[in-house]
Each structure stands twice: as structure tokens, then as C-alpha cells.
């Protein structure tokens, strides 16, 4: 029963994390397109609150809950290739998350750091990771 609660909270944390992962680069698009200092300051505040208040705690909860499930069932999971692939993708997503954090800080001083087109394409990376992770978890192809 405890495992099912861990899984339920893991899914909730992951959904919150992905909501932030999808929204922050969208804010970068608007930040890059803004021309006035007031708008740029507003986007910087929104980005900071999203990153620190939602994305970081959600990422930490996702990792802790996921690793808890693995530890509880290590004998089952240690030979599951799909889980190793999923963890690799989550590591990549974590690196993407950290890149977003660095970009967020750099955008404060340089709102034109990248074009809005760049940010639109940058925002597609986590979509690919999400698709792969869901397929791995549901289908368990190996």
C-alpha cells in the first residue's frame, strides 16, 4: 500500500515539475519579446517565482519519491532496462532544468540573450523527454 502512495505522489510531483518545465521557456519567449523595462522586470519576477517556488520543489519531490520506489523494490528493478533508460532521461531533464535556471538569471541582465524563436524550439526538448518516459513506464519495452 505504501508503494502505491509513493507512486501517486511521484506522479503528482512529476506533473507539477513538467508544468513548470513547459511554462518557464514560454516566459522566456515573452521576456525576449518585451521591449520595456517594466515588462522585463515582471517576467524576471514570474520566472524566479516559478523556478524557485514550483519547479525546484517539484523536481526534488519527483526524485525523492521515485528513488524511494526503486529502493523499496530494488530486487525487482535492478534488472529492468526500461527503468535505467527512464532514469537516464530524468537526469537529462534535470540538466535541462538547471540550464533553465542559468538562463533565467542571465535573462535578467540581458533580455535579448536569445531570440523568441530560439526559446520556442528550446521549449520542445522536454516534450520529447516526456513522450519517451511515458512510453518506457507504460510499455516497458525492455
Amino acid at each position: 500500500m505504501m508503494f502505491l502512495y509513493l507512486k501517486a505522489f511521484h506522479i503528482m510531483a512529476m506533473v507539477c515539475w513538467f508544468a513548470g518545465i513547459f511554462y518557464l521557456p514560454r516566459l522566456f519567449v515573452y521576456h525576449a519579446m518585451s521591449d520595456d523595462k517594466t515588462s522585463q522586470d515582471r517576467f524576471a519576477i514570474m520566472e524566479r517565482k516559478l523556478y524557485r517556488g514550483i519547479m525546484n520543489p517539484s523536481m526534488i519531490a519527483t526524485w525523492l519519491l521515485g528513488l524511494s520506489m526503486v529502493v523499496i523494490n530494488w530486487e525487482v528493478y535492478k534488472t529492468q532496462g526500461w527503468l535505467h533508460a527512464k532514469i537516464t532521461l530524468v537526469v537529462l531533464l534535470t540538466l535541462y532544468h538547471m540550464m533553465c535556471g542559468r538562463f533565467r538569471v542571465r535573462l535578467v541582465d540581458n533580455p535579448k540573450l536569445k531570440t523568441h524563436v530560439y526559446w520556442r524550439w528550446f521549449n520542445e526538448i522536454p516534450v520529447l523527454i516526456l513522450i519517451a518516459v511515458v512510453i518506457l513506464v507504460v510499455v516497458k519495452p525492455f
Side-chain angles (χ1 to χ4, degrees), residues 2 4 6 9 13 38 61 64 77 90 99 106 108 132 136 138:
M2 178 61 141
L4 294 177
L6 288 172
F9 283 105
T38 303
L64 290 176
Y77 284 137
V90 175
M99 283 177 59
R106 291 176 63 197
V108 171
L136 286 168
V138 174

Side-chain angles (χ1 to χ4, degrees), residues 64-111:
L64 290 176
L65 292 161
L67 290 174
S68 296
M69 289 187 297
V70 170
V71 167
I72 288 172
N73 287 316
W74 177 245
E75 287 305 313
V76 174
Y77 284 137
K78 70 181 179 183
T79 60
Q80 302 296 310
W82 66 268
L83 181 65
H84 298 268
K86 176 195 171 189
I87 291 171
T88 300
L89 290 170
V90 175
V91 167
L92 292 175
L93 186 67
T94 302
L95 293 173
Y96 179 89
H97 174 106
M98 293 187 310
M99 283 177 59
C100 284
R102 288 185 156 209
F103 281 137
R104 181 192 67 77
V105 172
R106 291 176 63 197
L107 275 167
V108 171
D109 295 326
N110 183 6

Side-chain angles (χ1 to χ4, degrees), residues 2-45:
M2 178 61 141
F3 182 83
L4 294 177
Y5 279 107
L6 288 172
K7 185 186 286 190
F9 283 105
H10 175 70
I11 292 168
M12 287 183 252
M14 182 272 307
V15 167
C16 292
W17 186 21
F18 265 99
I21 286 279
F22 289 148
Y23 189 50
L24 186 61
R26 175 54 51 184
L27 289 175
F28 293 167
V29 169
Y30 300 141
H31 198 148
M33 293 174 67
S34 64
D35 292 322
D36 61 292
K37 181 74 171 136
T38 303
S39 295
Q40 292 167 356
D41 290 344
R42 183 179 310 115
F43 287 120
I45 290 167

Side-chain angles (χ1 to χ4, degrees), residues 126-141:
V127 173
L128 300 174
I129 293 173
L130 178 63
I131 290 167
V133 167
V134 170
I135 289 171
L136 286 168
V137 171
V138 174
V139 177
K140 295 178 177 70

